[in-house]
Amino acid sequence: MMIQQQGKKVGLPLMNLVRLNRTPILKQLHLEEKLLRKSSTNWCIINDGTDTPAIVMGISGKPSELLEIGSVLRDQVPVIKRFTGGGTVVVDKGTVFVTLICNKDDVPGVQPYPRSIMSWSGLLYNQVFKGIADFQLRENDYVFGNRKFGGNAQSITKNRWIHHTSFLWDYAEGNMAFLKQPARAPEYRM
Amino acid sequence: MMISRRIWQKRPPTSSWIFLRPYTSQIAVPSPSPSLFPVQTPSLIGFLSSYAASSFRSVYKISSLEMPTMVSRCCYSNHALADLPASGIVDVPLAQTGEGIAECELLKWFVKEGDEIEEFQPLCAVQSDKATIEITSRYKGKVAQLLHAPGNIVKVGETLLKLVVGDSAVPTSSSDVLESVKPPGSENSPDSKLNKDTVGGVLATPAVRNLAKLYGINLNDVDGTGKDGRVLKEDVLKYAVQKGAADGPSAASVSADCREQLLGEEETYPQTFAEVKWYPDDKTVPLRGFQRTMVKTMSMAAKIPHFHYVEEINCDALVKLKASFQNNNSDPNIKHTFLPSLIKSLSMAMSKYPFMNSCFNEESLEVILKGSHNIGIAMATQHGLAVPNIKNVQSLSILEITKELSRLQQLAKDNELNPADNSGGTITLSNIGAIGGKFGAPLLNLPEVAIIAMGRIEKVPRLSDDGNVYPSSIMTVNIGADHRVLDGATVAKFCNEWKQLIENPELLLLQMR
């Protein structure tokens, strides 16, 4: 608690770092939701790939609108609905998952609103991708130039928030065929 | 309770203006979670006075820190109290979630009609684009009516539900309504969140402290208008403006408009921090590409014993030559400059002094006299210093050199030079004069043994033999050489040869094949 206070004084949130490797994405999501709702400390979870390919939809995703149901059923691809908003993504061993779970008061300057959180995370990832291929946060996406390479989602509760990202470090082109083009797209892609 | 009510009504608080704003503005910003606000009419005035608040300081401790930065919201409750309709039913709309979007999908209700709810109890979850957000109640009361079903799209500002807020249950908000205030002496664990153990015991949240730190403001100097003298964000910003400190948009003025802006524009919050910095931060630039290569090559070059030879070259003839090329130029794509002529005459001079076009092998103590004249041209690009070379200049005409030079310059500009263009050079020319300067003391481009820096061609006065002053175009050159291989005499003789060819270009014809 002392360290947490001191961390706050220098404007940095103290985070527990969890590094996973090929943890199934469903298990990771269970863990994240539990930490968001039950824990009172800050967490950063990094999972290097999931064991088998899966489709992960946002909380209000409707399979008929978002997925090529026929292909999904034929190939028996697991479809998971997560507890955060956002869109649909096909994940596999080439996806790098990074999740940030924070108390709303622990990150200076960040308000528990999507835009505020993403502005902060955008700055963080700016450091990570510095000098590489024109990384930027565009609307709600992480892009290189105008190419989106990671999907984001959040959930904001009374005192905490979670922001998680699936970075497509690598992906199988064939898997993208399971997804339909979403009805809404950001301005920069128009 | 009665006494406190009376006092509450005495004076309008300075920070109550926030609540007079229609809910569609982003008043939700500093609140702990997107809360629901009752519909307000502009004619209402919050009755809480900050004086009244401070008068309670000694009596009441801060009970709940759910809304640390917006203690001023305390008047909100009274606000509603003053305006509460007789039936006590309050319309609760969907407040702006801070994404600037107009609608959210209602995901699920956590309460049902008839439920008693506490302050800050989650009421429902909504989704906007990327985020699911829990909406909590600002009020303690009872759910009268749910107006939407899960799956509905609710516009921002639309009423989500109706609450009965009874008079026995004064709508409590953050930490200041009297009923919810704990008796003195009892400390809530949330209190510690407020960081009370700070200098001079100034009450402020971490966010406000950070803001003060950013402006270089001592919180002790700031008058807190919040409860118990708590320093709020507006207090810091007002102080900063008075101090003449703020120059960012969020602290431009203390007007109500600006307040709204700074309270509302939370999505630009982090950027605003960056804009209003007092002290410029250091910026770390990792070196990549050409710059990274330069670190290595120059470090190695610095180990070589250099000597430098300086000479002035009269370029009058060169100027005439270039003019002639340009005047008789039939190809619009070709632009004639001084450089190709200088390159060709350099190659001619090197034929007589092959040691200038050589490589030195340290281990075997051997000098390799290179057959080809691959003359490197230093180019300043936006990506850094590039040194592509023109291969086999000894076999090229001045026109061919001009074309090849142009090709390399374009590639360098587009950062598309390939490794073959950059390697295999035998001597380097640096036309630093194109940018400026009289001359430089260049460092060798290893493994070459000579490098030539050329300054600007300047028109300077010269004295003729009969004492008359005449203008002359003079270029100063500085030849850097590896003293392990070349000595002063060799370089001087080579330079004389080159100078002669430049000053008398017709001599090039003598050697032309």
Side-chain angles (χ1 to χ4, degrees):
Chain A
M1 199 50 175
M2 256 300 272
I3 302 172
Q4 211 158 349
Q5 293 280 14
Q6 302 213 340
K8 273 198 218 174
K9 278 188 188 151
V10 296
L12 302 169
L14 184 69
M15 307 203 72
N16 298 300
L17 178 65
V18 179
R19 303 191 74 151
L20 306 169
N21 198 353
R22 298 285 172 90
T23 296
I25 183 60
L26 183 61
K27 202 167 179 181
Q28 180 186 341
L29 288 167
H30 284 155
L31 173 68
E32 288 177 10
E33 190 170 1
K34 203 158 201 172
L35 288 176
L36 173 70
R37 303 202 192 283
K38 296 295 180 191
S39 165
S40 56
T41 49
N42 304 318
W43 298 85
C44 174
I45 301 164
I46 302 175
N47 184 16
D48 194 1
T50 183
D51 57 346
T52 54
I55 295 168
V56 184
M57 296 190 303
I59 192 170
S60 60
K62 296 175 181 60
S64 56
E65 290 175 6
L66 300 166
L67 310 178
E68 296 291 350
I69 307 265
S71 315
V72 172
L73 287 173
R74 189 187 58 230
D75 292 0
Q76 300 199 326
V77 184
V79 177
I80 301 164
K81 191 179 266 193
R82 61 179 185 265
F83 62 101
T84 54
T88 317
V89 62
V90 184
V91 298
D92 56 13
K93 60 183 187 336
T95 313
V96 177
F97 303 92
V98 182
T99 302
L100 299 161
I101 302 173
C102 291
N103 291 315
K104 69 170 167 50
D105 286 333
D106 280 4
V107 188
V110 176
Q111 305 296 326
Y113 288 86
R115 184 61 53 204
S116 181
I117 294 165
M118 282 215 75
S119 298
W120 177 72
S121 65
L123 293 176
L124 169 72
Y125 287 120
N126 242 325
Q127 298 293 312
V128 173
F129 293 110
K130 211 166 198 169
I132 296 175
D134 194 22
F135 166 81
Q136 47 184 297
L137 170 66
R138 280 186 93 155
E139 297 177 48
N140 288 317
D141 295 343
Y142 295 136
V143 301
F144 289 140
N146 61 356
R147 293 195 147 88
K148 174 178 171 179
F149 69 97
N152 295 304
Q154 286 129 22
S155 184
I156 299 166
T157 63
K158 192 162 112 184
N159 294 315
R160 286 159 74 70
W161 51 261
I162 178 173
H163 170 78
H164 57 193
T165 310
S166 312
F167 289 106
L168 299 188
W169 177 261
D170 197 5
Y171 66 91
E173 275 203 56
N175 286 352
M176 295 302 147
F178 293 127
L179 307 180
K180 287 183 175 165
Q181 281 282 9
R184 288 170 61 192
E187 288 281 339
Y188 74 90
R189 273 190 246 147
M190 298 296 197
Chain B
M1 161 110 70
M2 284 306 296
I3 299 164
S4 51
R5 265 199 205 168
R6 232 178 279 132
I7 296 171
W8 285 121
Q9 290 174 14
K10 273 236 169 79
R11 266 167 272 185
T14 52
S15 45
S16 70
W17 289 107
I18 299 143
F19 303 103
L20 303 188
R21 213 147 277 116
Y23 53 72
T24 47
S25 76
Q26 293 153 357
I27 40 176
V29 171
S31 99
S33 62
S35 299
L36 307 177
F37 298 90
V39 178
Q40 307 166 34
T41 57
S43 60
L44 285 170
I45 300 170
F47 290 131
L48 178 69
S49 82
S50 52
Y51 174 83
S54 60
S55 75
F56 288 112
R57 194 184 320 204
S58 54
V59 179
Y60 296 102
K61 292 242 189 260
I62 297 148
S63 63
S64 156
L65 300 176
E66 298 302 340
M67 307 257 284
T69 54
M70 291 309 299
V71 176
S72 50
R73 288 201 185 283
C74 61
C75 30
Y76 187 63
S77 54
N78 294 321
H79 200 173
L81 184 67
D83 192 39
L84 214 51
S87 61
I89 289 189
V90 156
D91 279 344
V92 177
L94 175 66
Q96 175 64 259
T97 60
E99 276 191 275
I101 63 162
E103 59 194 24
C104 294
E105 181 187 339
L106 176 65
L107 293 171
K108 68 184 211 181
W109 285 108
F110 299 132
V111 298
K112 54 187 191 300
E113 288 175 8
D115 281 354
E116 297 279 353
I117 57 168
E118 297 294 321
E119 176 195 356
F120 300 123
Q121 181 174 334
L123 292 172
C124 61
V126 300
Q127 184 192 330
S128 60
D129 271 353
K130 299 271 175 193
T132 60
I133 304 171
E134 268 181 24
I135 307 279
T136 57
S137 176
R138 297 286 321 263
Y139 293 92
K140 181 180 158 124
K142 192 162 149 183
V143 179
Q145 190 190 3
L146 301 180
L147 295 172
H148 284 278
N152 283 14
I153 302 291
V154 183
K155 293 210 186 324
V156 166
E158 230 181 292
T159 306
L160 272 171
L161 73 157
K162 292 185 194 279
L163 280 185
V164 174
V165 181
D167 27 27
S168 58
V170 173
T172 61
S173 73
S174 61
S175 36
D176 26 50
V177 174
L178 313 165
E179 289 77 16
S180 65
V181 167
K182 304 249 176 346
S186 80
E187 194 99 24
N188 257 348
S189 53
D191 279 354
S192 58
K193 276 196 211 164
L194 238 212
N195 235 341
K196 274 153 96 167
D197 55 324
T198 51
V199 180
V202 174
L203 296 174
T205 65
V208 172
R209 281 180 198 289
N210 202 48
L211 186 64
K213 195 169 110 188
L214 204 68
Y215 286 132
I217 290 172
N218 185 349
L219 277 175
N220 287 318
D221 299 335
V222 182
D223 290 322
T225 58
K227 181 168 159 101
D228 287 0
R230 195 180 314 190
V231 175
L232 309 177
K233 190 161 97 178
E234 306 93 276
D235 299 328
V236 172
L237 289 169
K238 203 192 325 194
Y239 183 81
V241 166
Q242 284 162 5
K243 235 181 129 187
D247 55 0
S250 72
S253 76
V254 203
S255 67
D257 287 341
C258 186
R259 272 235 183 83
E260 173 175 76
Q261 188 198 10
L262 70 88
L263 290 173
E265 304 277 329
E266 92 291 0
E267 48 255 20
T268 63
Y269 200 129
Q271 282 91 353
T272 316
F273 266 165
E275 285 158 27
V276 297
K277 279 205 187 305
W278 274 89
Y279 311 106
D281 276 351
D282 291 344
K283 188 179 168 190
T284 306
V285 179
L287 293 180
R288 300 253 183 276
F290 285 126
Q291 286 181 305
R292 210 176 175 107
T293 312
M294 193 164 77
V295 172
K296 287 188 208 142
T297 53
M298 291 300 119
S299 303
M300 288 199 300
K303 295 180 190 153
I304 311 293
H306 285 66
F307 76 95
H308 291 97
Y309 178 88
V310 181
E311 174 67 289
E312 276 182 349
I313 301 180
N314 187 322
C315 291
D316 291 333
L318 186 64
V319 170
K320 278 196 198 135
L321 190 68
K322 180 187 129 177
S324 174
F325 287 164
Q326 272 175 330
N327 292 338
N328 294 299
N329 184 13
S330 53
D331 189 342
N333 291 330
I334 297 176
K335 188 173 170 241
H336 288 282
T337 60
F338 297 118
L339 208 46
S341 311
L342 290 166
I343 293 169
K344 187 62 185 174
S345 37
L346 184 74
S347 171
M348 296 272 199
M350 286 202 300
S351 304
K352 281 198 174 164
Y353 296 92
F355 269 83
M356 296 296 295
N357 191 54
S358 62
C359 280
F360 181 55
N361 188 329
E362 271 188 61
E363 288 90 40
S364 56
L365 287 179
E366 282 171 347
V367 177
I368 305 160
L369 304 176
K370 291 288 187 183
S372 312
H373 297 171
N374 298 339
I375 300 181
I377 311 292
M379 295 180 188
T381 71
Q382 55 173 336
H383 311 284
L385 171 68
V387 192
N389 57 81
I390 303 174
K391 305 266 192 295
N392 293 309
V393 174
Q394 76 281 0
S395 309
L396 295 178
S397 66
I398 293 180
L399 185 62
E400 284 165 334
I401 295 169
T402 308
K403 288 181 185 164
E404 177 63 3
L405 183 64
S406 176
R407 182 188 79 91
L408 289 173
Q409 275 165 337
Q410 189 59 42
L411 287 176
K413 204 173 101 184
D414 300 332
N415 200 17
E416 280 167 12
L417 287 168
N418 57 56
D421 293 327
N422 283 327
S423 61
T426 55
I427 191 170
T428 299
L429 269 180
S430 168
N431 190 14
I432 191 73
I435 298 173
K438 233 179 154 64
F439 59 87
L443 289 182
L444 286 172
N445 186 15
L446 295 179
E448 298 161 15
V449 298
I451 180 169
I452 304 165
M454 302 178 294
R456 269 198 323 275
I457 297 179
E458 288 179 294
K459 229 185 179 97
V460 295
R462 283 277 184 260
L463 282 176
S464 65
D465 294 333
D466 50 9
N468 288 328
V469 176
Y470 66 91
S472 189
S473 297
I474 300 290
M475 175 176 73
T476 312
V477 299
N478 185 333
I479 304 178
D482 185 341
H483 214 330
R484 301 170 303 175
V485 176
L486 298 168
D487 55 32
T490 313
V491 173
K493 286 182 199 163
F494 159 77
C495 191
N496 288 343
E497 179 72 27
W498 187 38
K499 179 177 152 100
Q500 199 187 33
L501 289 171
I502 295 172
E503 290 176 353
N504 307 283
E506 60 276 13
L507 294 176
L508 288 170
L509 290 169
L510 274 179
Q511 303 181 38
M512 194 180 70
R513 286 206 187 98

